[in-house]
Amino acid sequence: MPGVRTLDQGSAGASPADLESGEFLILQAPMDGWAAPLSEVPDPVFSDKMMGDGVAIDPTGSVLSAPCDGEIILIHEALHALTLRAANGAEILIHVGLDTVALDGQGFTAHVHKGQHVRAGNRLLSFDLEILAQSARSLITPIVIANGERFSIVRRKQNAGMMQGEELMVLRPLQRAAARAEIGYSEIRREFIVPMAHGLHARPAARLAGLAKDFIAEIAIVAGDKRANARSPVALMGLGLGKGAAAIVLARGADAEKAAAALVALIESGMGESEDIAPVAIVAAPARQGVLTGVRAAPGLGLGIAARLSRPAIIVEEAGQGRERETQSLDAALAMVRLKLGAMRGNATQAAILSAHLSFLDDPELAAHAGAKIVEGKSAGYAWRDAIQAQISVLQGLTGPRFGERAADLLDLEYQVLNALVGSGAAPAAQLPPDTILLAEDVLPSQLAGLDVSRLAGIALAQGGPTSHAAILAASMNIPALVACGPAVLEIADGTALLLDADDGSLVIDPPVALQEAARQRIAQMRTRRAQAQAGAQALCQTRDGLRIEVAANLGAVEDVGPALAAGAEGCGLLRTEFLFLNRQQPPDEAEQTEIYRAIAQGLNGRPLVVRTLDIGGDKPAPYLPFPAEENPALGLRGVRVSLWRPELLAAQLRAILRGIPAAQCRIMVPMIASLSELRAVRRVLDDARTALGIADPVPLGIMVETPAAAMTADILAAEADFFSIGTNDLTQYALAMDRGHAGLAGQFDALHPAVLRLIAATAEGAARHGRHVAVCGGLASDPVAAPILIGLGVRGLSGPASRIADIKAAVRDVTLEDCKRLASKALGATSAAAVRALARNPGE
Ligand code: PEP
Ligand code: MG
């Protein structure tokens, strides 16, 4: 077969099992240069392997040659990227330089055209290194396997100089490898319960499928009588697993044990799901006259003019023009959408959604369905639509709104691929009038990402759900949005004046002039407040009468440091070190931890760094620690109890902290303390570590107050704890006896409950007896309504996410200590959290 060579027995690095397994595809270096790991490409689209796995070459030559025999299935119109399909189906995407699309072809010459068959070593492109070096972000050229779910890279060269034509990578078809891999192995079973508030929806499914692709074992997820290929995000979504659902990972093959443990650990980590979905009112308010009601999807107030967004229907022919031609068209369209999505930029929320969409494009089940339809004689468009619609009907048949909402993501991909097939890349609604309130049946994430956000004052959808990707995108772009407004919203004429109050769940049609004026003033005030808060974000924080309140950031990784400082953080009030320990097979060793702590400390440039010792267990399991099965993990082995159960982990962590962070900057904090004996045990390990490292300077050792026991014995603990930081998330959970992740109780889970406030007051009083500093690092710290009450109770430091820092500082600067004390004392006597919130909003009453 052209382009597919057999790897001879003498080839270094191939195991006998590899050699037995038949045909390999050898990819030659397509250019002279330095071969580097993809992780070194300064673009997450490549370094995170969103486009596929492979190798990057930093070129020294100016010619790109074919890495193997094959057919050119795509050349980007800017000539900087092309895709070659080898005879065994492997699609090799080569992207010359980064951001070279902006050159629009300048400096590039193509020597081949789409559809041309080439031999390994044939010239494909030449480029002018000088022009590229001046204009491109980097010359580094990723060479990736775009349909990597079908191939594994069994050997690759990296960190080495390469000459064009030398062996760069060796690929093997994956199904064959996996099929062989499972022979002779027994099946591994791991049970799990889905913890994600919204179940196994698109993003978790995509992440899980991405992880499954790292293993060679056959892996399936089974729930009741349904079974899904773990490498297929759409099949995983089709299981319809909601929060609390029980399912099983079944794996068979050489690395089945590891694969099952890793998948279960990823699922049980919750994948950070609860944080990016804003709490919403699920029930629309009753309608008033001239007012439509909807469900808040993104907060805020918008005043503007109605404009409808509609999507042209795409008609597809049913009959195809031959299997080969239709397969090529579909592959080219998929590659085009992949490139388009890969080139899109956005914030972290947008990136997560884009990456889920990218993984759908590679979904093996969708590919198999579409492929089968093409074999039946259907056209590429018909086959793709049929594959998508089949999955949508599976999703829509599931109970619960979340899975139905995810159908919108599939529809989006149907639309994008059909659009690519018919060759119309028209960006929808690019010409919105200023201050548009966008009205639509539903909006696809790709449509939203293509809009000119500066012209959008709000979005009101007839359908949609509050946790749809479009809703999450709207929130991440700060656009007020309502969903589920009903069909009446589509009857509003373009150009009608509208007032959208997302917090109130209302869309006022033709609002009276006075109401418009009042709304304009409120919007202007909100903007001014926000601008003022941003302007003051870098200054140290104090109340109006000069009481200093430290406002710091909660961090989880070295990447968080830059944004936190840019947002005005005065230091780090909580480093959640467990993020270094989760989602991996082995704990990070002392040297790795030391480097990470050092990098964070250096990034903070001398500012205080409060490092929390490992807080795993409970809802944060680690695969390498065999936690005993627990009836009630939230009340079991977690936080400091794990550290004392595995003192060798604690000792290594403390040594790494002491090595990595200068004593003057370092504060160590212990989570989940309930008794003085726990603090004493940790101090003994810390003293041993200091002695071993010859560190004479004292290092403050404080505790998190997260249990009612710690709050009520704060005076006893304060005798030996150097500082306190209150974890209001857990303190509320244990005070109210409510699971902090329970979706059904979310409406009652409020840290401003007077019971929690009394525990905070007790903590502050206990601390004051020994002159200890008290901060809050739980979610309550970043609730601006709460800041004055916390200060009034004796809290002197607040730590929260970077995005909230400007607002926290602004809230503190608005009040005096006397105001705060008065408000706090009223709050302690209030009858409910709602009453406390009402007091905080109108402190004068
Ligand atoms: C808390 O419980 O408030 C806290 C800050 O810790 P975590 O949220 O990490 O459990
Ligand atoms: Mg906690």
Side-chain angles (χ1 to χ4, degrees):
M1 198 187 297
V4 179
R5 290 157 48 184
T6 303
L7 200 64
D8 62 2
Q9 294 281 343
S11 296
S15 71
D18 287 339
L19 294 169
E20 267 171 41
S21 70
E23 285 175 328
F24 290 79
L25 173 63
I26 299 179
L27 300 183
Q28 308 176 353
M31 49 180 34
D32 298 343
W34 179 262
L38 269 192
S39 57
E40 288 181 9
V41 177
D43 185 333
V45 168
F46 293 107
S47 58
D48 295 351
K49 300 187 184 164
M50 293 182 201
M51 301 296 281
D53 196 5
V55 174
I57 294 190
D58 211 350
T60 49
S62 57
V63 173
L64 178 79
S65 307
C68 61
D69 297 356
E71 182 193 345
I72 305 296
I73 58 168
L74 187 83
I75 294 197
H76 194 281
E77 57 189 19
L79 304 181
H80 67 298
L82 56 74
T83 306
L84 175 74
R85 183 162 51 223
N88 69 349
E91 289 174 9
I92 300 117
L93 164 72
I94 308 178
H95 192 282
V96 181
L98 299 183
D99 292 352
T100 35
V101 65
L103 288 171
D104 212 10
Q106 202 203 341
F108 285 98
T109 312
H111 304 294
V112 286
H113 55 83
K114 184 176 160 197
Q116 186 173 336
H117 287 266
V118 296
R119 309 284 308 195
N122 283 170
R123 247 176 5 148
L124 305 177
L125 295 176
S126 337
F127 44 90
D128 186 324
L129 270 179
E130 211 161 302
I131 296 186
L132 265 62
Q134 276 167 12
S135 320
R137 181 147 62 95
S138 164
L139 294 180
I140 198 152
T141 297
I143 300 140
V144 301
I145 314 308
N147 53 350
E149 78 287 350
R150 293 175 46 198
F151 298 87
S152 69
I153 301 175
V154 295
R155 196 163 67 201
R156 70 183 97 195
K157 296 254 175 68
Q158 40 195 25
N159 298 317
M162 300 294 301
M163 296 293 287
Q164 185 271 317
E166 284 184 70
E167 178 195 300
L168 180 67
M169 283 184 266
V170 180
L171 309 187
R172 178 176 59 181
L174 198 56
Q175 283 87 346
R176 175 182 297 230
R180 290 187 59 81
E182 67 181 75
I183 294 170
Y185 290 98
S186 55
E187 191 170 67
I188 304 296
R189 277 172 73 90
R190 292 279 177 278
E191 293 173 7
F192 64 87
I193 305 281
V194 175
M196 284 79 77
H198 306 292
L200 199 59
H201 66 82
R203 276 167 298 138
R207 281 188 63 189
L208 212 56
L211 179 62
K213 286 177 190 162
D214 290 346
F215 298 93
I216 59 165
E218 275 298 299
I219 316 170
I221 308 271
V222 175
D225 57 357
K226 290 188 188 162
R227 181 185 180 102
N229 172 357
R231 294 185 177 87
S232 164
V234 294
L236 291 175
M237 282 198 299
L239 291 172
L241 296 179
K243 180 178 162 70
I248 303 168
V249 175
L250 293 182
R252 190 193 289 272
D255 54 3
E257 188 85 52
K258 272 189 174 168
L263 260 67
V264 169
L266 179 61
I267 295 166
E268 290 183 341
S269 72
M271 303 193 209
E273 271 297 299
S274 52
E275 288 170 16
D276 60 358
I277 297 176
V280 290
I282 299 295
V283 184
R288 305 190 292 273
Q289 192 148 43
V291 180
L292 295 180
T293 57
V295 172
R296 184 184 79 167
L301 187 66
L303 180 66
I305 303 296
R308 242 156 326 160
L309 180 67
S310 59
R311 196 159 38 101
I314 299 181
I315 316 275
V316 293
E317 293 289 334
E318 182 170 347
Q321 298 183 23
R323 177 178 172 180
E324 195 173 343
R325 183 150 170 196
E326 298 300 335
T327 308
Q328 280 172 12
S329 308
L330 181 57
D331 288 349
L334 289 170
M336 195 181 288
V337 177
R338 231 177 254 129
L339 268 181
K340 196 178 114 203
L341 292 180
M344 282 164 84
R345 294 277 172 278
N347 56 33
T349 309
Q350 290 160 332
I353 293 170
L354 285 171
S355 127
H357 282 195
L358 273 166
S359 79
F360 288 177
L361 287 176
D362 288 333
D363 192 287
E365 308 271 317
L366 287 177
H369 186 120
K373 286 286 155 199
I374 289 178
V375 170
E376 281 173 22
K378 309 294 185 199
S379 72
Y382 185 93
W384 180 250
R385 178 169 276 168
D386 202 64
I388 294 272
Q389 291 300 329
Q391 283 302 333
I392 287 179
S393 24
V394 172
L395 290 179
Q396 283 171 338
L398 299 173
T399 47
R402 302 277 126 74
F403 295 99
E405 281 168 13
R406 298 306 169 223
D409 291 313
L410 287 171
L411 265 183
D412 197 353
L413 285 177
E414 174 186 311
Y415 183 73
Q416 292 192 64
V417 173
L418 294 185
N419 215 23
L421 272 170
V422 299
S424 109
Q431 333 71 347
L432 293 175
D435 290 331
T436 291
I437 304 264
L438 193 70
L439 308 178
E441 175 89 20
D442 203 349
V443 64
L444 301 177
S446 67
Q447 286 176 299
L448 205 44
L451 291 174
D452 179 355
V453 178
S454 67
R455 291 174 167 248
L456 268 184
I459 299 173
L461 302 181
Q463 298 189 3
T467 56
S468 63
H469 276 156
I472 295 171
L473 281 174
S476 79
M477 295 190 286
N478 283 327
I479 304 169
L482 288 175
V483 293
C485 299
V489 86
L490 301 173
E491 283 158 24
I492 301 171
D494 279 2
T496 310
L498 293 175
L499 173 61
L500 185 155
D501 188 339
D503 301 322
D504 183 36
S506 65
L507 181 70
V508 186
I509 303 165
D510 261 333
V513 177
L515 190 57
Q516 289 192 36
E517 196 38 51
R520 240 176 241 116
Q521 280 178 16
R522 264 175 71 201
I523 292 170
Q525 278 165 4
M526 277 154 67
R527 286 197 184 133
T528 314
R529 260 207 309 275
R530 182 87 200 134
Q532 280 168 348
Q534 293 295 352
Q538 293 300 329
L540 290 182
C541 183
Q542 50 190 28
T543 57
R544 230 169 52 220
D545 52 342
L547 173 70
R548 179 84 173 90
I549 303 292
E550 287 164 22
V551 180
N554 293 348
L555 307 178
V558 66
E559 292 76 28
D560 297 343
V561 177
L565 294 185
E570 298 171 20
C572 167
L574 166 64
L575 174 62
R576 288 184 161 108
T577 60
E578 60 274 12
F579 288 130
L580 315 176
F581 287 75
L582 300 173
N583 295 340
R584 47 190 295 162
Q585 299 307 309
Q586 296 296 330
D589 65 15
E590 199 174 315
E592 183 181 346
Q593 286 188 61
T594 305
E595 284 319 307
I596 296 170
Y597 301 143
R598 178 171 292 134
I600 293 173
Q602 285 174 351
L604 286 169
N605 203 9
R607 294 176 180 83
L609 170 50
V610 180
V611 192
R612 175 167 80 182
T613 56
L614 197 51
D615 186 21
I616 52 175
D619 58 340
K620 303 173 195 161
Y624 42 83
L625 284 183
F627 285 105
E630 290 184 307
E631 187 84 346
N632 204 338
L635 302 180
L637 207 47
R638 56 166 303 196
V640 68
R641 298 171 197 169
V642 174
S643 295
L644 297 178
W645 172 55
R646 288 296 165 112
E648 71 286 354
L649 273 183
L650 174 66
Q653 182 173 34
L654 291 175
R655 281 195 302 272
I657 293 171
L658 293 172
R659 282 202 166 102
I661 309 170
Q665 192 180 2
C666 181
R667 291 159 202 187
I668 298 173
M669 178 159 82
V670 192
M672 287 293 297
I673 289 280
S675 304
L676 184 60
S677 58
E678 293 160 331
L679 175 63
R680 286 183 173 162
V682 175
R683 192 177 287 284
R684 276 194 295 276
V685 184
L686 177 61
D687 287 344
D688 288 349
R690 281 177 50 226
T691 311
L693 298 174
I695 296 177
D697 289 335
V699 176
L701 179 68
I703 64 163
M704 284 197 74
V705 176
E706 301 182 280
T707 64
M712 297 313 296
T713 56
D715 54 333
I716 298 171
L717 289 163
E720 298 187 29
D722 295 320
F723 61 91
F724 287 169
S725 185
I726 304 174
T728 47
N729 309 333
D730 277 313
L731 188 60
T732 308
Q733 154 161 283
Y734 296 122
L736 303 187
M738 271 181 200
D739 180 345
R740 59 192 268 187
H742 194 298
L745 296 175
Q748 298 170 61
F749 191 92
D750 191 335
L752 282 181
H753 191 293
V756 182
L757 296 183
R758 288 179 187 209
L759 289 170
I760 296 174
T763 305
E765 274 165 33
R769 294 215 198 146
H770 297 271
R772 305 298 185 193
H773 185 268
V774 180
V776 172
C777 63
L780 195 60
S782 48
D783 184 339
V785 170
I789 298 176
L790 293 174
I791 295 169
L793 293 176
V795 169
R796 296 294 176 262
L798 298 167
S799 188
S803 58
R804 307 289 313 150
I805 284 177
D807 288 340
I808 301 174
K809 286 188 172 180
V812 172
R813 290 187 183 122
D814 236 18
V815 291
T816 63
L817 180 58
E818 270 321 302
D819 300 337
C820 294
K821 283 187 172 161
R822 251 196 315 276
L823 181 59
S825 111
K826 284 189 196 164
L828 288 175
T831 53
S832 66
V836 175
R837 287 196 178 274
L839 265 174
R841 273 195 297 272
N842 299 302
E845 287 175 9

